[in-house]
Amino acid sequence: MGKIIALANQKGGVGKTTTTINLAASLATLEKKVLVIDADPQANASSGLGVDIKKIDSSIYECIINNVDPKEAIYTTDIDGLDIIPSHIDLVGAEIEMLNLPNREKVLKGILESLRSEYDYILIDCSPSLGLITVNALTASDSVMIPVQCEYFALEGISKLLNTIKIIKSRLNPSLEIEGFVLTMFDSRLRLANQIYDEVKRHFQELVFKTVIQRNVKLSEAPSHGLPVILYDADSTGSRNHLALAKEIINRNEVERGK
């Protein structure tokens, strides 16, 4: 049975999509079968993995609103073992269209349950909001991973997200856990970055991943080529960081399964 992990933070620009596509690519490189669900109408995870959004027939929108079989919306990528169900700008209107659906918070859960057995990991790239699609993603997931940018306002908004997770846990998904906090855009030369790392670590202790994602030019350039950084420049810091994060996740989950 695959593990479903949502990457969420309602604060924009924290590196959610970058982390999703590069973590997914790293997990696939480590011979795991991975599916990315692009649940953000901006569809950056789709284009970042080389999907031409103008040419797709089905996206996560069609699966949610038109009951399209999710298997028909799966696209392969340049990395063996890494697939994606892309997004579309239409997803912006999906939240309104979903209001009349029965069990509207659990639509995505139903879609993903049919795919769970075919993948080791399913990663959901959430939009930077706490709307109905993100609620669906958190309801469908086993755990949530929270990227935190190493900057002054980093901790602002985390309490709101944690409160949302708590509500979803109590009302919709009792088994939802926090996979961990991953610090992104880390610059070890800046005292502020180190202070934020220490503060996040002090607050959340064991939930903070040891691996930090450093600021890296190659990491920023890769999406414009429709490639994860591991294919764009395998020796780059960004590539090495995400591989280390993938190994950390695999190790954590193997320890948990062994308990």
Side-chain angles (χ1 to χ4, degrees):
M1 288 291 276
K3 182 166 194 181
I4 303 174
I5 305 174
L7 283 92
N9 189 335
Q10 80 274 21
K11 195 171 183 303
V14 297
K16 266 192 310 293
T17 302
T18 303
T19 305
T20 305
I21 59 183
N22 290 298
L23 174 58
S26 299
L27 287 166
T29 304
L30 296 167
E31 300 186 341
K32 298 294 176 188
K33 191 119 177 52
V34 187
L35 176 67
V36 170
I37 306 293
D38 190 349
D40 184 347
Q42 294 176 68
N44 291 337
S46 307
S47 56
L49 285 173
V51 176
D52 186 344
I53 311 154
K54 297 185 193 76
K55 292 182 180 168
I56 61 172
D57 297 319
S58 297
S59 67
I60 194 66
Y61 171 82
E62 280 77 19
C63 298
I64 291 171
I65 302 300
N66 302 332
N67 292 324
V68 164
D69 182 343
K71 288 176 182 161
E72 290 176 22
I74 293 173
Y75 290 77
T76 55
T77 70
D78 291 337
I79 291 187
D80 278 351
L82 175 56
D83 297 338
I84 180 166
I85 295 184
S87 183
H88 194 275
I89 192 67
D90 288 351
L91 199 60
V92 169
E95 303 210 345
I96 308 282
E97 295 175 70
M98 289 167 79
L99 290 176
N100 297 323
L101 294 178
N103 276 338
R104 59 181 182 233
E105 296 89 358
K106 296 185 177 177
V107 178
L108 192 56
K109 185 181 176 71
I111 291 167
L112 297 188
E113 282 305 321
S114 65
L115 301 172
R116 192 193 268 271
S117 60
E118 294 181 30
Y119 293 92
D120 297 307
Y121 291 94
I122 296 176
L123 304 185
I124 309 175
D125 184 30
C126 298
S127 66
S129 76
L130 293 176
L132 189 51
I133 300 283
T134 301
V135 168
N136 261 266
L138 294 172
T139 304
S141 297
D142 300 307
S143 64
V144 54
M145 190 170 174
I146 305 167
V148 180
Q149 188 182 357
C150 288
E151 51 130 82
Y152 183 66
F153 293 114
L155 295 173
E156 216 177 60
I158 285 185
S159 58
K160 196 174 178 188
L161 176 63
L162 292 176
N163 198 38
T164 304
I165 291 168
K166 199 168 150 191
I167 292 166
I168 285 168
K169 204 170 156 68
S170 66
R171 296 186 192 166
L172 295 165
N173 183 4
S175 57
L176 183 65
E177 299 293 335
I178 291 176
E179 186 73 27
F181 293 83
V182 59
L183 285 133
T184 62
M185 305 179 204
F186 184 80
D187 186 339
S188 56
R189 297 166 303 178
L190 300 178
R191 198 166 67 191
L192 178 64
N194 289 294
Q195 283 171 345
I196 284 160
Y197 180 83
D198 292 341
E199 197 169 338
V200 174
K201 191 82 179 146
R202 189 166 54 81
H203 273 283
F204 303 110
Q205 296 163 358
E206 294 308 306
L207 286 173
V208 182
F209 285 101
K210 292 184 181 74
T211 307
V212 294
I213 308 298
Q214 292 163 276
R215 276 196 185 278
N216 180 240
V217 175
K218 299 292 184 190
L219 199 53
S220 309
E221 289 173 358
S224 63
H225 297 270
L227 293 170
V229 72
I230 203 160
L231 287 186
Y232 182 64
D233 185 344
D235 290 330
S236 65
T237 304
S239 179
R240 289 200 303 271
N241 288 164
H242 284 95
L243 262 176
L245 181 62
K247 285 175 184 166
E248 203 175 332
I249 284 176
I250 291 167
N251 290 340
R252 271 190 188 192
N253 283 292
E254 281 173 1
V255 167
E256 275 170 27
R257 280 184 196 133
K259 278 180 185 171

